[in-house]
C-alpha cells in the first residue's frame, strides 16, 4: 500500500464512519419515534420540563402572594385552576411547584442510582465475601418498608425537602444495587468479558467499559420507574408535613393543604393530584420506550 | 514436525494441571462435592505447531484452556510460558503477558461485546497491551481486517450486523491485534455451519503460516481436528489418555477409548468402513470418577488391574504416549 492510496482510503473510511454514525443516530430516534406510548411519555416529560424552566414567564401571579379577598375561588378565566385558602393562584403555584417535584425526583434517583450502581457492580463482579457483605446490608435496608425508612431518616435529619431527597434516594440504593448486581453477574460470565480479560484489561475497564454499558437497559427502566415513585414518595412525605414546608408550592404539600377543603373546594387538591399522576405516567411510558430503543438487538 | 519438536524448546509447558470445582452444598451437612474437571494433566506445546485436544463434552478440554489462561484459577499444577510460570504470576504481571496468549471462543454471538464497534474492539485491544501508539493503530486495523478477510468499512459496524462466520473473523482479528504467539481456539468452529467452518479453518491455517502462530485447538469434532492438527491429545474425564502425532494417532490409535472415538468418524467409502465400536453406558460422573483407570467402566478390555491401578501416561512409540496398562497387547 503506497502512502497516497492509504491516505485516500483513510479519508474514505472517515466518510463512511460519519455516515454510519448519522444512520445510527437516526435509527435511535426512529425506533423511539415508532413507539407511540414512548412519544406520549416523552412529550409529557418535555412539557413538564419546559414548565419548570418557563414558570416565571408562564405564571400569571406570584405563587406566594396571599390575597385573602380572593381565597377559595373556583376555576375561572382570572384563575384557571382557582385559588387556595389563602387566595394564592393555584396555577402559578403548580407551575413553580414543578421545579420542586422534578428536582426532588431527579436528584433522589440520581443519588440512589449512583450508589446503587456502584455497589451492585462491585458485588456482582467480585462476588464471594464482597458480595455477601454488600447484599446482606442491602437486604437489611430492603427489609424496612420504604416510607418507614424515609421517616426514620427524616426524623434523624429533620423535615426539609433536601432530607426528603436523601431519604428517597437512600431507599432507592438497594433497588438499583440489586438489579445491577444481578445483571452484572449475568454479563460477567459472557465470553466477551473473558475475551477482554485475556487481552489483559484491568477490572476498572472490564466493569465500566464492558459490563456497565451492557446493563444500562434495566438501569434505565428502573430509573424511570424510580423517578415516578420518587416523585410520589416525595409528594407523600410532603403531604405528611415532613418535606416541603409551607408556603412552598410543592405538589404534595398542596395536596395536603387541599385535604381540609376537599368537599368545599376540591380543585385545591385535584389539580396537584392530576399533575403528579400525569408526570408519573409520563416517566413510566417514556422509560419503557427508551429501553426498547437503547437495545441494539431490538433494531431492525 | 517431529524434527521441529526435538530441537525446539516448548513454548508452553503444562505440568500436573488440576482444576477442581467445589459444588455448593445442597443440604446443610452434606459432604463437599468436588468436580475434578481437569485432574493432573501434563503436556507441552511447541512453537508453530497445532496441538488439538479432543474428547466428549465434559472431559475437561475447555476447562484446560480456561485454566491455562487463568480465566478460572487452576487448583494445582503449573503452566510455564517461555519458562515463566503463569500460575504463580501476580495479576499485574499476568496482564502484561496476556497479549501473548489469546483465545478464540466457540460462540461468535457471545464473544463480542454488542455495544462496541469493531474499531473500538481492535483499538482497545491494542491500547490495553500497548502494542502500538494511537496514530499507528489505524493502519494496523486496516491490515488486520485484510488478514481476516473483512472489508475495512466494517470497522464502524456493531457485532449484530454480522453473520456468524464474519463474527468469528472479528474474534480472530481481535486476538491477532495484540500480536499473540499462542492462540487457544476453544471450539472455534463448532458453532459455524460446514461451509463457513472450512473457510475459518483455512483462514486459521493461513494465519498460522503467515504469522508463525501456535495453536492449542480444542474441539470435539474429529474431522476438524484431523484437518488442522499436527499433534492430537485425547482427554477422558479430566485425564489425558493418549497424545501423539496426528498421523500416528489416526492410523494407529493405542488406547481403546481413542479407537472407539475414531470409529465414530463417518466414512463415505463403504469399502473402507470398519466396525463401529459402541461403548457401553455413559461417561461416569466427574464427581465420582471410577477408581483405577477412569475408562474401566466402559472399556471392553478392562481387567482387575484396570479397576485398581491408574495407568500412567507412557511413551510407547516416539511421540506417541498412551495411558493404558495393555496398550502393547491391544495394538498388536
Amino acid at each position: 500500500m503506497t502512502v497516497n492510496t492509504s491516505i485516500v482510503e483513510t479519508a474514505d473510511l472517515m466518510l463512511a464512519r460519519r455516515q454510519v454514525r448519522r444512520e445510527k443516530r437516526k435509527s435511535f430516534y426512529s425506533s423511539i419515534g415508532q413507539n407511540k406510548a414512548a412519544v406520549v411519555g416523552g412529550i409529557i416529560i418535555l412539557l413538564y420540563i419546559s414548565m419548570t424552566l418557563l414558570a416565571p414567564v408562564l405564571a400569571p401571579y406570584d405563587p406566594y402572594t396571599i390575597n385573602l379577598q380572593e381565597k377559595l375561588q373556583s376555576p375561572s378565566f382570572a384563575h384557571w385552576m382557582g385559588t387556595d385558602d389563602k387566595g394564592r393562584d393555584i396555577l402559578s403555584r403548580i407551575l413553580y411547584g414543578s421545579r420542586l417535584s422534578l428536582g426532588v425526583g431527579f436528584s433522589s434517583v440520581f443519588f440512589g442510582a449512583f450508589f446503587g450502581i456502584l455497589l451492585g457492580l462491585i458485588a456482582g463482579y467480585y462476588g464471594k465475601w464482597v458480595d455477601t457483605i454488600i447484599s446482606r446490608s442491602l437486604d437489611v435496608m430492603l427489609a424496612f418498608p420504604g416510607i418507614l425508612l424515609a421517616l426514620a431518616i427524616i426524623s434523624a435529619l429533620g423535615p426539609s425537602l433536601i432530607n426528603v431527597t436523601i431519604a428517597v434516594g437512600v431507599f432507592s440504593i438497594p433497588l438499583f444495587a440489586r438489579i445491577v448486581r444481578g445483571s452484572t453477574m449475568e454479563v460477567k460470565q459472557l465470553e466477551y468479558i473473558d475475551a477482554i480479560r485475556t487481552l489483559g484489561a484491568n477490572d476498572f475497564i472490564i466493569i465500566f467499559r464492558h459490563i456497565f454499558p451492557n446493563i444500562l437497559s434495566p438501569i434505565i427502566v428502573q430509573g424511570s420507574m424510580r423517578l415516578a415513585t420518587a416523585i410520589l414518595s416525595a409528594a407523600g412525605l410532603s403531604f405528611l408535613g415532613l418535606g416541603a414546608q409551607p408556603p412552598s408550592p410543592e405538589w404534595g404539600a398542596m395536596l395536603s393543604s387541599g385535604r381540609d377543603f376537599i368537599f368545599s373546594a376540591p380543585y385545591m387538591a385535584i389539580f396537584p393530584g392530576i399533575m403528579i399522576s400525569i408526570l408519573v405516567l409520563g416517566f413510566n411510558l417514556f422509560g419503557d420506550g427508551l429501553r426498547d430503543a437503547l437495545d441494539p438487538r431490538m433494531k431492525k | 514436525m517431529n524434527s521441529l519438536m526435538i530441537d525446539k524448546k516448548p513454548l508452553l509447558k503444562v505440568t500436573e494441571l488440576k482444576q477442581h470445582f467445589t459444588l455448593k452444598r445442597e443440604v446443610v451437612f452434606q459432604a463437599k462435592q468436588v468436580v475434578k474437571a481437569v485432574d493432573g494433566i501434563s503436556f507441552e506445546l511447541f512453537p508453530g505447531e497445532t496441538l488439538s485436544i479432543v474428547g466428549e463434552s465434559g472431559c475437561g478440554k475447555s476447562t484446560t484452556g480456561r485454566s491455562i489462561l487463568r480465566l478460572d484459577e487452576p487448583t494445582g499444577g503449573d503452566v510455564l510460558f517461555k519458562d515463566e510460570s503463569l500460575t504463580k504470576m501476580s495479576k499485574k504481571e499476568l496482564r502484561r503477558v496476556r497479549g501473548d496468549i489469546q483465545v478464540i471462543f466457540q460462540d461468535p454471538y457471545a464473544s463480542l461485546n454488542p455495544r462496541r464497534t469493531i474499531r473500538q474492539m481492535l483499538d482497545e485491544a491494542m491500547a490495553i497491551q500497548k502494542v502500538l501508539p494511537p496514530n499507528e493503530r489505524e493502519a494496523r486495523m486496516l491490515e488486520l481486517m485484510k488478514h481476516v478477510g473483512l472489508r475495512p468499512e466494517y470497522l464502524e459496524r456493531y457485532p449484530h450486523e454480522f453473520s456468524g462466520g464474519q463474527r468469528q473473523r472479528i474474534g480472530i482479528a481481535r486476538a491477532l491485534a495484540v500480536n499473540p504467539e499462542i492462540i487457544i481456539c476453544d471450539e472455534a468452529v463448532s458453532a459455524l455451519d460446514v461451509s463457513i467452518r472450512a473457510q475459518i479453518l483455512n483462514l486459521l491455517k493461513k494465519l498460522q503460516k503467515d504469522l508463525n502462530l501456535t495453536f492449542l485447538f480444542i474441539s470435539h469434532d474429529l474431522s476438524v481436528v484431523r484437518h488442522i492438527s499436527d499433534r492430537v491429545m485425547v482427554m477422558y474425564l479430566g485425564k489425558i489418555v493418549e497424545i501423539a502425532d496426528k498421523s500416528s494417532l489416526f492410523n494407529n490409535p493405542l488406547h481403546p477409548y481413542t479407537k472407539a472415538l475414531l470409529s465414530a468418524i463417518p466414512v463415505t467409502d463403504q469399502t473402507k468402513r470398519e466396525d463401529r465400536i459402541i461403548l457401553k453406558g455413559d461417561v461416569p460422573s466427574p464427581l465420582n470418577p471410577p477408581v483405577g483407570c477412569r475408562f474401566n467402566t466402559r472399556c471392553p478390555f478392562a481387567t482387575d488391574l484396570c479397576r485398581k491401578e491408574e495407568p500412567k501416561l507412557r511413551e510407547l512409540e516416539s511421540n506417541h504416549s498412551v495411558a493404558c496398562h495393555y496398550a502393547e497387547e491391544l495394538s498388536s
Side-chain angles (χ1 to χ4, degrees):
Chain A
M1 195 191 291
T2 65
V3 180
N4 261 334
T5 56
S6 83
I7 288 172
V8 172
E9 270 177 33
T10 319
D12 280 352
L13 260 183
M14 280 169 71
L15 275 180
R17 202 174 167 180
R18 224 167 281 156
Q19 178 81 27
V20 169
R21 267 200 213 132
R22 214 172 300 136
E23 278 165 21
K24 244 157 232 147
R25 219 173 298 141
K26 226 186 282 167
S27 87
F28 169 74
Y29 290 125
S30 74
S31 78
I32 198 165
Q34 273 161 14
N35 185 338
K36 290 210 179 66
V39 175
V40 173
I43 291 173
I44 293 174
I45 294 171
L46 277 182
L47 281 177
Y48 271 83
I49 291 175
S50 41
M51 205 160 90
T52 311
L53 299 174
L54 297 176
V57 184
L58 294 174
Y61 301 91
D62 182 272
Y64 298 105
T65 312
I66 293 173
N67 182 353
L68 289 175
Q69 281 172 337
E70 293 189 1
K71 72 173 188 177
L72 293 176
Q73 291 193 352
S74 357
S76 64
F77 282 111
H79 300 282
W80 288 9
M81 292 183 181
T83 57
D84 67 6
D85 57 322
K86 303 206 170 52
R88 294 171 295 199
D89 181 51
I90 292 178
L91 174 62
S92 307
R93 287 177 67 72
I94 279 182
L95 287 171
Y96 276 95
S98 66
R99 298 181 159 187
L100 299 173
S101 290
L102 280 175
V104 172
F106 276 109
S107 24
S108 66
V109 168
F110 184 79
F111 179 90
F114 182 81
F115 290 104
I117 290 169
L118 212 61
L119 287 172
L121 282 170
I122 292 171
Y125 183 74
Y126 290 102
K128 297 190 183 136
W129 61 269
V130 182
D131 180 30
T132 310
I133 291 174
I134 294 178
S135 296
R136 291 297 87 78
S137 325
L138 295 175
D139 284 349
V140 170
M141 281 173 78
L142 275 175
F144 287 101
I147 209 82
L148 196 69
L149 186 69
L151 285 174
I153 294 172
I154 291 166
S155 61
L157 301 175
S160 83
L161 210 51
I162 291 174
N163 294 341
V164 165
T165 310
I166 294 174
V168 176
V170 166
F171 183 63
S172 304
I173 293 176
L175 296 173
F176 279 101
R178 221 164 41 160
I179 287 177
V180 170
R181 171 179 170 267
S183 315
T184 305
M185 295 202 300
E186 200 184 309
V187 172
K188 181 179 81 164
Q189 43 88 27
L190 291 176
E191 282 183 345
Y192 63 79
I193 299 299
D194 284 338
I196 198 74
R197 271 176 70 196
T198 32
L199 283 168
N202 57 33
D203 292 349
F204 188 84
I205 290 183
I206 296 174
I207 292 176
F208 289 102
R209 214 190 274 167
H210 293 269
I211 295 180
F212 181 61
N214 281 295
I215 58 170
L216 268 182
S217 303
I219 294 176
I220 286 170
V221 178
Q222 177 71 5
S224 67
M225 305 297 169
R226 269 322 281 175
L227 260 172
T229 11
I231 289 168
L232 264 182
S233 317
L237 288 167
S238 293
F239 181 84
L240 295 175
L242 299 169
Q245 299 300 311
S248 155
E250 207 277 336
W251 294 343
M254 286 172 71
L255 254 179
S256 167
S257 55
R259 190 190 46 169
D260 300 335
F261 305 91
I262 192 83
F263 295 112
S264 56
Y267 45 84
M268 257 185 84
I270 286 174
F271 288 112
I274 288 176
M275 293 309 282
I276 295 172
S277 329
I278 295 178
L279 181 58
V280 168
L281 179 73
F283 276 118
N284 281 335
L285 293 178
F286 186 68
D288 279 350
L290 201 60
R291 172 193 52 190
D292 296 345
L294 276 175
D295 190 340
R297 278 156 300 194
M298 305 277 288
K299 280 182 209 156
K300 282 150 230 138
Chain B
M1 202 66 224
N2 292 353
S3 58
L4 252 172
M5 282 159 42
I6 293 158
D7 45 62
K8 273 193 184 175
K9 275 179 66 180
L11 196 56
L12 195 76
K13 189 172 156 68
V14 176
T15 31
E16 283 301 309
L17 186 68
K18 286 196 180 87
Q19 184 62 275
H20 297 177
F21 298 105
T22 312
L23 297 189
K24 270 206 176 138
R25 291 188 179 99
E26 281 166 5
V27 188
V28 181
F29 291 110
Q30 199 178 24
K32 262 193 188 169
Q33 291 199 298
V34 179
V35 178
K36 298 180 175 174
V38 175
D39 203 14
I41 64 167
S42 308
F43 63 93
E44 290 170 338
L45 187 62
F46 295 93
E49 75 164 341
T50 301
L51 172 63
S52 291
I53 307 181
V54 289
E56 336 175 37
S57 5
C59 73
K61 43 190 201 306
S62 288
T63 312
T64 305
R66 294 182 61 88
S67 309
I68 292 172
L69 292 161
R70 269 179 74 183
L71 285 174
D72 299 318
E73 292 293 331
T75 320
D78 202 357
V79 179
L80 294 179
F81 172 70
K82 290 183 173 170
D83 298 329
E84 268 188 294
S85 168
L86 293 178
T87 46
K88 294 189 181 76
M89 270 182 194
S90 72
K91 289 214 162 140
K92 211 175 161 188
E93 287 175 297
L94 183 67
R95 281 204 287 270
R96 177 179 52 80
V97 296
R98 278 221 189 264
D100 293 330
I101 309 176
Q102 282 300 298
V103 59
I104 300 168
F105 291 100
Q106 169 173 18
D107 184 352
Y109 290 87
S111 58
L112 303 175
N113 186 341
R115 291 194 186 272
R116 294 181 77 74
T117 61
I118 313 313
R119 171 184 298 278
Q120 287 173 320
M121 286 180 204
L122 298 182
D123 189 72
E124 178 171 44
M126 289 189 263
I128 290 172
Q129 283 296 328
K130 302 188 182 74
V131 267
L132 282 175
N135 56 347
E136 290 169 34
R137 286 187 204 144
E138 179 74 31
R140 173 73 176 140
M141 279 191 251
L142 296 177
E143 193 191 3
L144 282 169
M145 294 297 271
K146 204 179 265 178
H147 265 320
V148 299
L150 289 172
R151 287 161 53 182
E153 54 272 31
Y154 288 172
L155 274 177
E156 317 306 328
R157 299 207 180 166
Y158 286 91
H160 70 270
E161 300 174 61
F162 293 99
S163 68
Q166 286 173 320
R167 282 161 172 258
Q168 207 57 307
R169 286 172 193 269
I170 297 164
I172 296 170
R174 176 178 57 191
L176 292 178
V178 291
N179 303 323
E181 298 190 37
I182 300 175
I183 295 187
I184 298 180
C185 305
D186 186 359
E187 301 271 14
V189 296
S190 308
L192 307 172
D193 55 38
V194 182
S195 56
I196 310 288
R197 187 178 298 178
Q199 286 176 17
I200 298 290
L201 283 174
N202 291 335
L203 172 67
L204 288 173
K205 270 192 150 176
K206 182 178 163 290
L207 290 171
Q208 179 170 41
K209 210 168 66 193
D210 295 349
L211 305 171
N212 191 28
L213 297 168
T214 306
F215 286 145
L216 184 62
F217 198 90
I218 298 165
S219 180
H220 64 267
D221 187 334
L222 288 163
S223 50
V224 167
V225 166
R226 185 176 222 163
H227 181 68
I228 198 156
S229 337
D230 298 311
R231 288 193 303 143
V232 181
M233 174 173 133
V234 183
M235 283 184 75
Y236 184 79
L237 270 181
K239 288 273 188 190
I240 300 177
V241 297
E242 188 161 0
I243 178 165
D245 286 346
K246 175 174 68 177
S247 56
S248 169
L249 186 111
F250 277 90
N251 298 330
N252 180 25
L254 295 175
H255 198 283
Y257 178 65
T258 317
K259 286 182 183 169
L261 209 58
L262 294 182
S263 80
I265 304 178
V267 189
T268 43
D269 188 347
Q270 289 295 327
T271 56
K272 281 191 189 163
R273 171 169 282 183
E274 286 171 36
D275 282 341
R276 176 123 187 240
I277 306 168
I278 311 272
L279 293 176
K280 301 170 287 181
D282 280 323
V283 186
S285 160
L287 273 175
N288 190 12
V291 186
C293 175
R294 298 208 169 180
F295 188 54
N296 78 51
T297 52
R298 303 171 78 196
C299 181
F301 312 106
T303 65
D304 283 342
L305 177 65
C306 303
R307 283 181 271 270
K308 270 186 215 134
E309 198 181 315
E310 192 172 326
K312 286 201 172 60
L313 194 67
R314 55 209 169 93
E315 189 159 0
L316 225 62
E317 295 161 20
S318 81
N319 291 317
H320 195 149
S321 303
V322 63
C324 175
H325 293 303
Y326 299 107
E328 293 91 340
E329 290 92 319
L330 292 173
S331 70
S332 51

